[in-house]
Amino acid sequence: MRALRIFLIVVVIIGGLFVIADRVAVHFAEGEAADKLKATESLAATPDVSIKGFPFLTQVAGGSLDDVEVGIKDYEAATGNGAEKIRIDNLKAHMKGVDFSGDYSSATAADASGTATIAYDQLLNAVKNDPVDLPLGATGKVTSLSYGGNGKVRATVVVAGVPLPVLGTVTAQGNTVKVHADGLPRFGNQALDVSEVKIDQLPGGIKLDKVQAAKDGVEITVKGSNVKLAG
């Protein structure tokens, strides 16, 4: 009995040491991955990287991580609207099947999905100099974008000095966010676009999937495959 008790104590101690070593290793790896991602994407601040799953060391031995969560508070993406950058807030992505190099200099996720928000002032800044083509050859200019309730975007379009309030539906076409005016004439099957912002660059090559108007901005979901976290 005494020998069995000693054996069990040793097993518990070894198990405890393994857990400590595993947690130290995962903390180090998270820091290295965050630094590499910051450098790869030229981020102003270090992102949050959380490696899920236990034990971590067995995942390392296999060269692939099951689940990695990445959080970027402020990400500035290039646009195709003349504005150099548009800020994307609170980007949170889940990376599945992440293969990495031994020094963490490169990491690629088999699949990724996530969410983020684009504030209305950011969308407005990207389109404020773009003319809006209206029926009968008229043109207008968007001077405000905000939440209109019930999943709609409220826009103010100024035509000949007269501000016109318009409710719109936000959609994603490829990596372009569009606001289609409701209740205005259509040209054939083509909806009238009050604003259109093309986002040329998202982290790791992820793409826009869906968009939805919300109180604080346009909520977006993103997805991708073979997404690069670093390298």
Side-chain angles (χ1 to χ4, degrees), residues 140-184:
K141 181 180 179 181
V142 177
T143 59
S144 73
L145 288 171
S146 61
Y147 184 52
N150 297 319
K152 300 292 185 179
V153 174
R154 183 178 300 279
T156 300
V157 182
V158 176
V159 182
V162 179
L164 302 175
V166 177
L167 280 179
T169 302
V170 62
T171 63
Q173 183 176 332
N175 262 14
T176 298
V177 178
K178 293 185 176 184
V179 178
H180 307 292
D182 297 339
L184 289 177

Side-chain angles (χ1 to χ4, degrees), residues 21-128:
D22 191 81
R23 294 303 88 191
V24 170
V26 75
H27 181 71
F28 172 79
E30 289 170 344
E32 288 293 302
D35 289 341
K36 295 294 183 182
L37 181 57
K38 179 183 179 182
T40 299
E41 298 294 341
S42 300
L43 302 176
T46 303
D48 294 325
V49 175
S50 178
I51 299 174
K52 305 298 181 180
F54 179 83
F56 166 70
L57 291 174
T58 59
Q59 296 182 66
V60 171
S64 180
L65 303 176
D66 297 332
D67 186 3
V68 178
E69 292 184 2
V70 175
I72 301 175
K73 185 177 181 181
D74 300 316
Y75 180 81
E76 292 192 341
T79 73
N81 291 62
E84 292 185 359
K85 298 287 184 179
I86 187 169
R87 190 187 73 243
I88 299 175
D89 299 322
N90 300 319
L91 175 61
K92 297 179 180 179
H94 293 265
M95 311 289 184
K96 301 291 186 179
V98 180
D99 294 331
F100 59 92
S101 61
D103 60 356
Y104 306 105
S105 61
S106 65
T108 303
D111 296 288
S113 61
T115 59
T117 300
I118 303 176
Y120 291 114
D121 64 339
Q122 292 294 305
L123 289 173
L124 179 62
N125 184 63
V127 302
K128 63 183 180 182

